[in-house]
Amino acid sequence: MAVYRGYTPCPWQREVHNFLGTAKNSGKIAVVKSKRQCGKSFMCENQLLFYAINYKFTTNAMITPTLSQARKVFKELCNAIVATGVIKSKNASLLELELINGSQIFFKSAEQKDSLRGFTISGILILDEATFLSDDILELVMPWCNVHKAPILMVSTPKMKQGFYYRYFMRGLTDDGIVKSFDWNNYDTSRFLSKEQLAEYEKLMPKAQFRTEYLGEFADDNCGVFEGFRSCVLSEPKPYKKLYVGIDWANGGGNDDTVISALNENGEQVFLFYFNNRSNYKQIEFIGNFLEEHKNNVALVVPELNSIGTPMTEYLQRRCPWCNIQGHNTTNASKNDIVNKLQLAFEQQKIHIINDEKQLMELSMYTLEFNINTKSITYNAPQGFNDDICIALALSWKAFDIGANVGQYYFYIN
């Protein structure tokens, strides 16, 4: 019998491994709450290997919020064991591994929602960054574990006080015999992030984001950067006389979207479109037709110029020569500027947005990164996610802000 030596877990990781090591076919659920940089994903990868290697002919799986995250973990796991000879076959397209003992490990994402049916888990199911998975996803994947009473591991940095991850964590604190919660805040993890570094983050980050990501606490407001945005959600469509439009172009990679956001003269979002299945020509055709349809209403269009944005904007200008189009060149400084202005708009409730699930999710996940060495701030979606809607919304607010501050001067003549 071959013996494979794994990693040396930290005490907080070992506690979870010990619980799950005897949980096969038990139907038990482990829920881990952790601040950033404490080894969540590394622990999950090793737990998958433990079940797949120790229990032959088992099927094991990990669900991530996005496909790019699933690919990342698949690649990391393959690289970790490629030299051991334990892999019988791998499929990088389907993100599936088969081991020499007959066990399988596969990776799926919440973006594959319609295809998350019909699987059976006999080993273990892991839900990574579970706070970003919807209740609908849980309803689709929980039945996978029913036949063999496979255990489930839910792992995440906390976010909002809602959703199945929060509910299961609170349930697990009662230790009801089925669900057990593990709060890594109970351990000293300062070796990974010093008190001095923590103090720097606290000075510059939004309070809600700092509390969730670096203190590992659930926040009352389910956002980080755009605090209070949910109070700015429209309950019904609004009329418009003028349209201020922002465009974020897809760069053609991953699940990147081209997004069009349009605000009316009151700062209310009246249109939101996003897609990643159109050619460049079809994109220009769609947006050009939209602008043409609202020719008498469009006051200003602000598209992003970076990467593919410059030629796409030039095509759009040729398609709609009558339209006032002012491109936005995104640097770290200019991105910070439009994001900060959108932050202020939400805080002062000057902007109101359409109740779109994808838009609300992007706004809730948007993060601020502070580089301690360079003392610089960058805004981005978390790794594996996109911020296309956030940027298009910020650009439409920039268009509105420009338009709202442009007036006309007349001489009064008797």
Side-chain angles (χ1 to χ4, degrees), residues 16 29 98 252 319 403 406:
V16 181
I29 299 174
E98 183 180 0
R319 169 66 176 78
V406 174

Side-chain angles (χ1 to χ4, degrees), residues 73-247:
V73 182
F74 172 82
K75 184 177 180 180
E76 288 177 351
L77 197 60
C78 288
N79 290 341
I81 61 176
V82 66
T84 65
V86 72
I87 300 177
K88 179 180 179 180
S89 64
K90 62 179 179 179
N91 189 316
S93 297
L94 298 177
L95 304 182
E96 295 178 355
L97 281 174
E98 183 180 0
L99 306 188
I100 57 175
N101 67 352
S103 289
Q104 295 178 310
I105 303 174
F106 65 84
F107 301 85
K108 299 288 182 181
S109 81
E111 294 173 340
Q112 299 168 289
K113 184 174 180 179
D114 293 338
S115 62
L116 295 179
R117 299 181 187 276
F119 294 94
T120 299
I121 300 296
S122 54
I124 189 170
L125 173 64
I126 297 180
L127 307 181
D128 192 25
E129 292 299 349
T131 195
F132 297 120
L133 298 175
S134 68
D135 288 9
D136 290 344
I137 296 299
L138 184 70
E139 291 174 5
L140 287 173
V141 302
M142 282 283 273
W144 296 3
C145 302
N146 290 346
V147 174
H148 298 282
K149 295 184 178 179
I152 298 174
L153 170 59
M154 302 178 182
V155 180
S156 191
T157 299
K159 199 72 172 176
M160 68 274 313
K161 289 183 177 179
Q162 56 181 277
F164 76 84
Y165 172 71
Y166 174 72
R167 294 194 302 271
Y168 271 95
F169 180 80
M170 297 307 293
R171 175 182 166 184
L173 294 178
T174 66
D175 197 6
D176 64 1
I178 298 296
V179 183
K180 183 174 177 60
S181 292
F182 299 85
D183 190 346
W184 287 3
N185 282 355
N186 296 330
Y187 288 90
D188 179 12
T189 59
S190 58
R191 73 177 88 168
F192 299 106
L193 191 67
S194 69
K195 292 181 179 179
E196 292 74 21
Q197 290 175 316
L198 200 62
E200 290 281 2
Y201 285 120
E202 186 176 14
K203 289 177 185 176
L204 293 167
M205 296 186 72
K207 292 180 180 178
Q209 183 183 342
F210 176 78
R211 194 161 64 249
T212 58
E213 296 187 15
Y214 289 96
L215 297 183
E217 300 173 356
F218 287 101
D220 293 319
D221 192 335
N222 62 335
C223 71
V225 172
F226 301 113
E227 194 165 354
F229 75 92
R230 289 192 180 272
S231 63
C232 298
V233 176
L234 293 166
S235 58
E236 58 185 22
K238 297 295 182 180
Y240 55 91
K241 295 180 180 178
K242 292 185 178 181
L243 291 176
Y244 301 93
V245 183
I247 303 174

Side-chain angles (χ1 to χ4, degrees), residues 242-358:
K242 292 185 178 181
L243 291 176
Y244 301 93
V245 183
I247 303 174
D248 181 69
W249 304 102
N251 60 24
N255 296 293
D256 198 29
D257 286 324
T258 289
V259 183
I260 305 99
S261 170
L263 306 179
N264 67 9
E265 64 277 11
N266 298 316
E268 299 162 330
Q269 190 180 44
V270 289
F271 291 105
L272 176 65
F273 306 105
Y274 45 82
F275 44 79
N276 58 15
N277 58 353
R278 288 183 168 94
S279 66
N280 290 350
Y281 172 78
K282 291 292 185 181
Q283 291 185 52
I284 296 300
E285 183 180 44
F286 176 88
I287 298 172
N289 289 342
F290 168 75
L291 297 178
E292 191 76 40
E293 180 183 353
H294 302 282
K295 186 173 183 178
N296 296 327
N297 306 106
V298 175
L300 177 61
V301 179
V302 179
E304 187 177 35
L305 294 179
N306 295 57
S307 184
I308 196 175
T310 296
M312 293 294 282
T313 299
E314 291 174 353
Y315 294 147
L316 186 62
Q317 288 171 329
R318 288 199 290 269
R319 169 66 176 78
C320 304
W322 52 268
C323 190
N324 184 7
I325 300 176
Q326 299 180 22
H328 173 86
N329 187 44
T330 301
T331 63
N332 189 56
S334 66
K335 184 176 183 179
N336 287 359
D337 181 61
I338 62 172
V339 171
N340 290 336
K341 288 180 178 177
L342 184 59
Q343 279 181 296
L344 187 62
F346 277 123
E347 290 174 10
Q348 297 178 346
Q349 297 194 354
K350 290 183 177 180
I351 187 172
H352 290 82
I353 57 174
I354 292 171
N355 187 9
D356 178 272
E357 182 179 357
K358 189 171 183 177

